[in-house]
């Protein structure tokens, strides 16, 4: 199966090379699942990656939630992800001015040296995008940014006009791979897709096969609905890592998203 055929206009309209890498991995493994690996030790992270690696297309991390972080221990996580052909996506949600964001790409965690993708808020202004890109430039790497156009948590302050400004910033930057959309609401995802057009990715958290209310304000929708509404990947955390059988869970999310993509 060719990625270009499966993804159609998304493949042909997308410029960012990492978007093509993601779409190829998704077709190879037949999954549109990005694992939100929200675990607190590097050993647990490596174990989970080795378990579910064949059923996911990218790995999303929160490096600052890891209790035993060290450069060496983190290298094990990165190497495990690479063995499974996963892009590394640090959900850092940068939000400062451009110059500071550039510096924060380095620092203790040195995100610029291992992350292929990061998230950023648009709240401080459009220059955050160039600041983050300059961070990768400092280590002669190229990465992709996802701007938060929507969020899955209830009561968030990302209004319609904020979403529009965010899309217009992303549209004019080659560094922006795409947008985070609210996976708990198919209506919001399809409205976002309408505004974004075909040329950028939309990845959606707030997805769970048992779509009950999450804890502490998280909201959930069904993975197939998110994909059919125009999302290109579902970001799944607890649905997989809190499951009694993470491998079976990852496979179930993979199957749901893959068949939804084929009917889209
Ligand atoms: P969950 O366990 O599937 O609810 O985890 C969701 C993950 O997605 C978690 O790592 C969050 O940081 C991340 N997330 C989110 O839930 N909602 C958002 O709007 C954004 C990120 Br942006």
């Amino acid at each position: 199966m060719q990625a270009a055929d499966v993804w159609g206009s998304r493949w042909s309209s997308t410029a960012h090379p990492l978007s093509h890498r993601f779409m190829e991995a998704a077709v190879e493994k037949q999954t549109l699942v990005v694992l939100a690996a929200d675990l607190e030790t590097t050993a647990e992270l490596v174990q989970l990656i080795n378990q579910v690696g064949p059923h996911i297309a990218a790995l999303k991390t929160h490096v600052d939630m890891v209790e035993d972080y060290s450069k060496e221990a983190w290298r094990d996580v990165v190497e495990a992800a690479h063995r499974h052909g996963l892009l590394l996506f640090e959900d850092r949600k940068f939000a400062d001015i451009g110059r500071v964001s550039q510096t924060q790409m380095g620092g203790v965690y040195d995100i610029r040296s291992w992350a292929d993708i990061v998230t950023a808020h648009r709240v401080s202004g459009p220059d955050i995008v160039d600041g983050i890109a300059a961070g990768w430039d400092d280590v002669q790497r190229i990465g992709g940014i996802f701007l938060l156009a929507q969020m899955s948590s209830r009561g968030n302050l990302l209004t319609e006009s904020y979403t529009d400004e965010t899309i217009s910033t992303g549209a004019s930057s080659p560094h922006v791979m795409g947008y985070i959309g609210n996976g708990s609401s198919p209506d919001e995802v399809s409205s976002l897709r309408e505004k974004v057009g075909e040329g950028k990715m939309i990845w959606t958290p707030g997805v769970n096969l048992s779509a009950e209310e999450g804890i502490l304000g998280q909201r959930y929708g069904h993975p197939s609905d998110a994909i059919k509404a125009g999302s290109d990947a579902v970001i799944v955390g607890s649905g997989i890592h809190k499951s009694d059988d993470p491998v079976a869970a990852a496979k179930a999310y993979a199957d749901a998203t893959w068949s939804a993509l084929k009917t889209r």
Side-chain angles (χ1 to χ4, degrees), residues 169-183:
T169 299
S172 61
S173 171
H175 307 299
V176 174
M177 270 175 85
Y179 308 94
I180 298 297
N182 173 15

Side-chain angles (χ1 to χ4, degrees), residues 21-40:
R21 278 256 306 269
F22 171 79
M23 289 188 271
E24 274 171 345
V27 171
E28 200 174 300
K29 295 184 181 177
Q30 310 207 338
T31 176
L32 275 58
V33 176
V34 175
L35 172 68
D38 294 336
L39 300 175
E40 286 150 46

Side-chain angles (χ1 to χ4, degrees), residues 36 38 60 62 91 93 148 151-152 180 205 218 220 235 237-238:
D38 294 336
K60 189 178 85 66
H62 283 299
D91 189 5
K93 299 183 179 75
L148 274 67
M151 289 192 74
S152 64
I180 298 297
Q218 175 71 304
Y220 286 125
I235 296 172
S238 354

Side-chain angles (χ1 to χ4, degrees), residues 92 100 119 187:
R92 172 63 178 74
V100 168
T119 45
D187 286 347

Side-chain angles (χ1 to χ4, degrees), residues 117-129:
I117 303 168
V118 301
T119 45
H121 285 290
R122 164 66 177 79
V123 66
S124 62
D127 295 281
I128 189 162
V129 167

Side-chain angles (χ1 to χ4, degrees), residues 40-104:
E40 286 150 46
T41 68
T42 48
E44 288 173 293
L45 280 167
V46 170
Q47 191 190 7
L48 183 64
I49 295 164
N50 286 332
Q51 285 178 313
V52 307
H55 307 299
I56 61 174
L59 178 74
K60 189 178 85 66
T61 54
H62 283 299
V63 66
D64 56 355
M65 84 170 40
V66 172
E67 286 168 356
D68 64 337
Y69 176 86
S70 70
K71 261 195 163 55
E72 295 69 40
W74 194 252
R75 194 174 309 137
D76 295 342
V77 174
V78 171
E79 283 173 4
H82 287 166
R83 272 197 303 276
H84 287 278
L86 303 168
L87 288 168
L88 280 145
F89 173 19
E90 169 61 19
D91 189 5
R92 172 63 178 74
K93 299 183 179 75
F94 288 101
D96 214 310
I97 60 170
R99 176 184 61 78
V100 168
S101 299
Q102 176 182 359
T103 312
Q104 289 172 318

